[in-house]
Amino acid sequence: AQSVTQLDSQVPVFEEAPVELRCNYSSSVSVYLFWYVQYPNQGLQLLLKYLSGSTLVESINGFEAEFNKSQTSFHLRKPSVHISDTAEYFCAVSVRGAQKLVFGQGTRLTINP
Amino acid sequence: DAGVIQSPRHEVTEMGQEVTLRCKPISGHDYLFWYRQTMMRGLELLIYFNNNVPIDDSGMPEDRFSAKMPNASFSTLKIQPSEPRDSAVYFCASSLRQSGNTIYFGEGSWLTVV
């Protein structure tokens, strides 16, 4: 079975500082990897995903994540955060060929002015 | 385009009452998922359907929970009888196999059982 570990439950940073949200997964087969974002009182929105090809994937709002197969990681990074990035971020994994996602516990990103 | 639509958005009910949550997936999607989110357990997959057929219901907590998908555009999640520990946010989500496992979530149904 697959599992996802998000190493930090909360990450406080100052505005315009860089941030990294860590995600490690466990699977014996090839996987797809995702980051979802949940703003307060809303549903989850897809931020970015890795299916195949380049191991570095980017979102439209400046986030990026790198698939590292040897370390079974998919850490999310942004070089300069904004107040509007305050949200909970979920890493998720699915097995290639299967549709269901397994989510990590989430990391709450708090941006301080 | 309309996303996944859930109703009700908020529900407060008394213990022992029946609760029915509803979901309309994105048109054309062939997978539908029900997730539950709580502070203690995070996001849990309860059940999912493919072409209206339940594929995996191993996440359904107990017999008080049931889910149906009578057609491609509608699904329900029912709790009978409800208990305070069922209080959570219930998310419906849908996907299309060709989209590479990308799942689209609704806004959630916020359930409080008192």
Side-chain angles (χ1 to χ4, degrees):
Chain A
Q2 296 72 45
S3 66
V4 177
T5 302
Q6 292 184 242
L7 297 163
D8 306 296
S9 60
Q10 297 187 57
V11 173
V13 297
F14 288 105
E15 193 172 15
E16 299 183 2
V19 70
E20 178 180 80
L21 306 183
R22 296 178 293 169
C23 172
N24 287 90
Y25 69 93
S26 173
S27 176
S28 59
V29 298
S30 296
V31 297
Y32 296 138
L33 293 157
F34 303 79
W35 277 98
Y36 280 79
V37 59
Q38 185 179 28
Y39 298 104
N41 300 319
Q42 294 187 26
L44 279 76
Q45 302 172 31
L46 179 67
L47 188 61
L48 47 76
K49 62 184 178 183
Y50 169 77
L51 303 182
S52 63
S54 173
T55 57
L56 184 66
V57 292
E58 299 177 350
S59 72
I60 59 174
N61 57 352
F63 284 93
E64 65 179 29
E66 185 160 21
F67 170 54
N68 188 320
K69 187 174 182 179
S70 63
Q71 297 185 10
T72 60
S73 68
F74 192 56
H75 301 332
L76 181 70
R77 301 184 183 94
K78 188 170 185 179
S80 176
V81 296
H82 301 138
I83 291 286
S84 60
D85 294 324
T86 297
E88 188 143 19
Y89 293 79
F90 292 90
C91 184
V93 63
S94 70
V95 171
R96 291 173 184 247
Q99 284 294 109
K100 70 178 186 179
L101 289 183
V102 174
F103 285 87
Q105 287 294 306
T107 298
R108 186 171 300 277
L109 178 61
T110 305
I111 313 297
N112 299 307
Chain B
D1 289 341
V4 176
I5 299 172
Q6 293 186 243
S7 65
R9 287 296 315 278
H10 298 273
E11 173 122 356
V12 180
T13 191
E14 292 185 346
M15 181 173 63
Q17 296 297 306
E18 178 178 291
V19 174
T20 299
L21 308 178
R22 298 173 177 80
C23 176
K24 177 179 169 55
I26 294 173
S27 177
H29 280 192
D30 52 359
Y31 282 83
L32 183 139
F33 306 82
W34 283 101
Y35 281 87
R36 178 172 68 176
Q37 185 179 34
T38 60
M39 289 291 291
M40 292 296 293
R41 301 172 70 92
L43 272 163
E44 304 172 276
L45 176 63
L46 300 178
I47 185 172
Y48 75 98
F49 297 81
N50 176 219
N51 292 323
N52 314 338
V53 176
I55 302 301
D56 183 353
D57 66 354
S58 60
M60 295 287 263
E62 48 197 277
D63 292 345
R64 298 185 296 106
F65 286 69
S66 63
K68 295 182 179 179
M69 192 166 185
N71 58 63
S73 59
F74 183 66
S75 176
T76 59
L77 177 68
K78 187 173 293 187
I79 308 171
Q80 167 64 15
S82 58
E83 297 182 1
R85 59 190 168 123
D86 302 330
S87 298
V89 185
Y90 291 83
F91 288 104
C92 179
S94 69
S95 71
L96 181 64
R97 175 174 278 280
Q98 293 95 315
S99 71
N101 294 38
T102 300
I103 293 179
Y104 298 87
F105 283 78
E107 293 288 293
S109 292
W110 301 66
L111 174 66
T112 302
V113 183
V114 298

